[in-house]
Amino acid sequence: MRIAIRQIHPVFVGEVSDVDITRPLSATEVAGIEAGMNEHAVLVFHEQPLTDEQQMAFTVNFGRLEDARGGNITKPEERRLEVGMNDVSNLGKDNRPLERDSRQRLFNLGNMLWHSDSSFRAIPARWSLLSARVVNPVGGNTEYADMRAAYDTLDDATKKLIEDLVCEHSLMYSRGSLGMLDYSEEERAMFKPVRQRLVRTHPATGRKSLYLSSHAGGIVGWPVPEARAFLRDLNEIATQREFVYSHRWRVGDLVMWDNRQTMHRARPFPEHEARDVRRTTLMGDGPTTAQVAAA
Ligand SMILES: [Fe+2]
């Protein structure tokens, strides 16, 4: 069966119907979703009550799962979900909301800053898929911004200036901007900055996009304050309201997005309420740039 996609925002985001993603998909359905992602960058599915196994099975129709290690301060023994699932909830292993001063919770608050998933990895994520299991009656939206539209809006001089720029990304930069500056030696090694191009070209559509993220804390060859001020300006342009879609979650929603073409951020919700959203992540095809500067 052919899937149906209706664009629900002026510049991006498709709402998908006529498909049950809890079951194995046909080749036509997989191709339809691939094409929809290339065009809309974000796809929204409703009424898909996925188990973790079903979510992982759906995800691997489109590539390989990312190895989630090194992306958080949560220790293996503190994990609530099995390997392959990223826990984006506010819950501890006992399924209760984390304490207000929990370091794990404070680290996860970094998701409220505009970012692209895993831009702090040498091979950054391709797509992310977020499934809503328990949602908040008020608050807790996820916002998405179209980085292709952001790129298109830049003037020619800026496009020329940024064409070959390379940024340094680390989880310590995004968390540092919220005042989290204390990390163990082991965490410092794990969060060592990686390099990413500032402009990316989509392999299927050829469209260029700004590859921004709160994890970006420097531009290679630029003084740090100048780089951060410049990136801040670009972020402001990139996240203007015309380019932003705000998703109001319902239980059973699955939203998938292309991290190469979009940024996203979580919005606040009452911290004492349980929120259970679970992510699967598709690994990217390769690094966006070399990791070591030429001598
Ligand atoms: Fe994220």
Side-chain angles (χ1 to χ4, degrees):
M1 179 150 175
R2 257 198 138 66
I3 62 164
I5 303 179
R6 179 176 70 96
Q7 191 167 321
I8 57 172
H9 180 279
V11 297
F12 68 145
V13 189
E15 186 182 62
V16 185
S17 51
D18 296 339
V19 64
D20 177 357
I21 63 171
T22 68
R23 295 168 184 277
L25 298 186
S26 68
T28 313
E29 289 168 329
V30 171
I33 291 169
E34 286 266 6
M37 283 295 283
N38 290 343
E39 183 179 350
H40 301 287
V42 179
L43 291 180
V44 175
F45 300 75
H46 299 293
E47 292 167 30
Q48 306 285 346
L50 293 161
T51 64
D52 291 354
E53 290 67 32
Q54 289 168 335
Q55 185 174 343
M56 287 190 278
F58 173 66
T59 305
V60 298
N61 281 305
F62 308 100
R64 279 174 57 199
L65 288 179
E66 182 182 87
D67 181 345
R69 280 176 297 186
N72 209 290
I73 57 166
T74 308
K75 297 185 177 68
E77 63 273 19
E78 294 169 345
R79 281 184 60 89
R80 196 174 64 98
L81 306 180
E82 63 184 295
V83 173
M85 301 299 298
N86 296 83
D87 196 353
V88 196
S89 76
N90 64 340
L91 306 174
K93 214 176 169 181
D94 58 0
N95 279 316
R96 297 170 63 89
L98 296 163
E99 293 297 324
R100 191 169 185 187
D101 62 355
S102 145
R103 190 161 177 261
Q104 199 179 327
R105 171 179 176 269
L106 298 177
F107 190 87
N108 291 342
L109 288 182
N111 289 326
M112 290 175 59
L113 304 176
W114 284 110
H115 66 282
S116 175
D117 286 334
S118 296
S119 75
F120 52 82
R121 297 183 193 280
I123 297 179
R126 183 154 72 100
W127 298 353
S128 294
L129 300 85
L130 196 59
S131 159
R133 313 295 175 85
V134 176
V135 302
N136 308 91
V138 177
N141 284 13
T142 303
E143 293 185 342
Y144 298 90
D146 187 341
M147 293 298 105
R148 307 166 301 180
Y151 178 84
D152 291 346
T153 201
L154 300 174
D155 58 50
D156 288 343
T158 308
K159 284 179 180 164
K160 205 168 158 211
L161 171 68
I162 65 173
E163 179 65 25
D164 292 315
L165 290 183
V166 172
C167 297
E168 291 184 320
H169 293 236
S170 166
L171 275 163
M172 288 190 293
Y173 296 144
S174 49
R175 275 52 185 173
S177 71
L178 292 180
M180 283 190 89
L181 300 164
D182 296 329
Y183 298 96
S184 65
E185 276 308 308
E186 192 187 352
E187 288 169 347
R188 274 181 195 284
M190 190 161 75
F191 300 148
K192 195 166 145 298
V194 302
R195 294 182 167 191
Q196 306 291 2
R197 292 186 59 88
L198 180 52
V199 178
R200 295 185 71 172
T201 304
H202 192 277
T205 65
R207 278 192 79 177
K208 286 187 176 177
S209 56
L210 272 179
Y211 193 44
L212 291 169
S213 189
S214 61
H215 307 310
I219 299 173
V220 175
W222 285 37
V224 170
E226 192 179 346
R228 291 201 186 179
F230 182 70
L231 290 173
R232 224 178 247 216
D233 281 352
L234 282 183
N235 271 286
E236 208 170 291
I237 293 167
T239 56
Q240 52 191 298
R241 295 320 294 182
E242 300 94 288
F243 304 150
V244 173
Y245 163 72
S246 183
H247 187 73
R248 170 95 213 106
W249 290 99
R250 296 188 299 211
V251 171
D253 282 356
L254 178 115
V255 179
M256 58 202 286
W257 63 90
D258 188 335
N259 287 294
R260 301 166 301 183
Q261 311 196 78
T262 58
M263 277 203 291
H264 61 281
R265 65 172 178 176
R267 296 290 71 215
F269 57 89
E271 32 113 359
H272 60 275
E273 286 177 11
R275 169 186 178 81
D276 193 349
V277 289
R278 303 182 182 195
R279 195 182 90 200
T280 40
T281 315
L282 279 177
M283 194 178 166
D285 298 330
T288 65
T289 187
Q291 292 305 312
V292 182

